[in-house]
Amino acid sequence: MLTLVQQLASQIRQQPPESIVFFVGAGISVAAGIPDFRSPAIGLYASIHEMKRFRFKSPTFVFEIDEFMNDPRPFWWIFSRLWPKTEWPHPTDFHYLMALLAEEGIVSHVFTQNVDNLEEVAGIDQNLISCAHGTLNPCKCLKCGHKFPLSEALRQMTVNFPPKEDYEDVIPPVCPNCGDNHVKPEVVFFGENLPSETFTSAHEYIPKASLAIISGTSLNVEPFASFPKMLKENSQIYVINREKVKEQRGGLIGALHLSSGYINYEDEKCHFIEGDLQETARQLIYELGWDERYQALKTRIESIEQTQTDS
Ligand code: OAD
């Protein structure tokens, strides 16, 4: 009897070119030192909730554009907890697994909610990636439109490390062009639209995919959360996560659906690989017989990262 990981490895071996889509989120970057949003106790939203004065606010307010225009300090306060101060974080084994599959030519697209760019750092061609929630680099001034590298914002943010206890003590970076303090990384805030290319790619690649891998995401945020609904009827779905997401439950009360879930885990084409997704990634690499390729890719990427740090 095959384990679920062995079963997935066998499915992967049978995939025709450009037939796998990934839907990923913050969970795949936790091992890179970037907290996710909704994990109890360690997620970013838990740390916002811990702060007394924010207790009665929805923790997503730090990523709401109206709140940011009103006061950019809460965003930069949470940013100082989110982002390592000195160097760009490194890809995780899950990123390398995606990159190895992409090298095989069997990945049609990676839809990511992450803004850390680690999919590309791991060696995935940027044409295969849709950063649905934007990227941290560059930053943009919302007053004059000037764009500048995140490294400049980080340079100014040095005064805020180690992270301040109170958000009121945070000094937000200012635009190097006009001096205004409404500068923000080009990430998509609540109340802003996703990049239009993300929708174009979703319509192009999702309906054609025969295998979808959903990982490191709670699939709580629309419209991304509904992207897997565009999969064709008979495509295989593997959810690699700590908990099941978008589980189809209950039935209908009148015209009301009891849950927004659309993944029927009882169905033979939907599979749930529970547990640490990095562990699953390493097992998959092993089952695929790619341990040496993985080591070679990791060494190559680490030396590129080293060269960039040195220059
Ligand atoms: P969440 O924090 O909502 O979900 C992360 C998921 O990854 C959870 O289901 C965790 O259990 C799981 N997870 C974390 N570490 C794991 C591990 N080592 N092994 C297995 N599972 C693990 O993050 P996202 O779904 O990415 O948007 O959040 C979506 C969006 O909400 C973000 O892009 C952000 C946020 O508000 C905006 O700010 C617009």
Side-chain angles (χ1 to χ4, degrees), residues 5-20:
V5 175
Q6 288 168 333
Q7 191 182 309
L8 174 54
S10 148
Q11 293 267 355
I12 286 171
R13 280 192 216 98
Q14 294 164 34
Q15 288 306 306
E18 298 177 14
S19 56
I20 303 179

Side-chain angles (χ1 to χ4, degrees), residues 24-28 30 36-39 45 60 63 113-114 133 188-190 215-221 240-243 245 275-278:
V24 295
I28 70 163
V30 171
D36 69 5
F37 296 89
R38 293 177 184 80
S39 281
Y45 291 157
T60 55
F63 300 110
Q113 296 162 97
N114 297 348
H133 293 169
V188 177
F189 273 30
F190 293 102
S215 196
T217 174
S218 59
L219 284 188
N220 259 304
V221 175
I240 303 175
N241 212 40
R242 285 236 160 83
E243 72 281 340
V245 293
D276 179 15
L277 59 89
Q278 301 295 347

